[in-house]
Amino acid sequence: MTTKANWAIGLISLLGALYWLTLPPDDIALNDACRPSELQDRFSEGVYGRIFWQAQQTALAEAVRIELDLRARNELRQDQPGEGRSRIDRQMSRLSERDISGDQQAAAQVQREQMARMAWLYRCQQVIEQKLAR
């Protein structure tokens, strides 16, 4: 092969790698401030702009759907605490001396974390809508 052919193959390989590295991610690539978090994501935003934000909007919509589905399942499970457990298990749970307040605190912490994540998702959704409106 000639030197020109080697250079051409090298250049094509480099351009292919750069294209692949800057493709918009399929998952959420935003930090707490709803901006691209990693260098690769920032390059992707710079190169693709609107396409990057549309991909983020799709990923965010899926994350919101998953969060809402998870919350609905948890609420359904809490509404039916004895289902799937035998009568003896339910009686033993009532008679045990476990720390109920600790369970309630843990549940409250999980709920706070879910609420914070939902607030972040909705905040980022607004930022994305503003970026796409431009």
Side-chain angles (χ1 to χ4, degrees):
M1 289 184 127
T2 65
T3 305
K4 288 183 180 182
N6 286 338
W7 275 99
I9 291 172
L11 183 62
I12 290 171
S13 298
L14 178 65
L15 290 175
L18 285 174
Y19 171 77
W20 179 73
L21 283 173
T22 60
L23 280 175
D26 293 334
D27 55 346
I28 299 173
L30 304 175
N31 60 18
D32 292 338
C34 299
R35 293 187 179 144
S37 55
E38 296 182 14
L39 184 61
Q40 179 180 353
D41 301 326
R42 284 184 252 150
F43 278 132
S44 180
E45 178 197 18
V47 171
Y48 296 100
R50 187 170 185 79
I51 295 170
F52 171 85
W53 289 109
Q54 288 171 339
Q56 288 302 293
Q57 186 177 38
T58 303
L60 208 66
E62 180 66 14
V64 167
R65 187 193 64 75
I66 289 170
E67 285 290 325
L68 291 174
D69 186 44
L70 181 63
R71 289 180 74 189
R73 286 184 192 174
N74 286 341
E75 287 176 12
L76 182 63
R77 194 176 309 130
Q78 288 173 356
D79 289 343
Q80 301 169 348
E83 192 160 315
R85 294 174 46 195
S86 71
R87 182 175 156 256
I88 294 173
D89 284 340
R90 288 190 305 265
Q91 286 177 343
M92 293 301 289
S93 292
R94 278 192 302 237
L95 295 174
S96 71
E97 295 179 11
R98 65 188 178 129
D99 183 15
I100 299 294
S101 65
D103 291 346
Q104 290 171 346
Q105 288 175 354
Q109 179 63 29
V110 167
Q111 188 175 17
R112 281 191 296 273
E113 290 170 1
Q114 287 176 339
M115 295 297 287
R117 178 159 169 79
M118 288 300 293
W120 173 74
L121 289 171
Y122 285 127
R123 188 172 58 248
C124 288
Q125 194 171 27
Q126 290 174 346
V127 168
I128 290 171
E129 287 172 4
Q130 289 172 356
K131 297 267 186 189
L132 290 175
R134 293 181 190 168

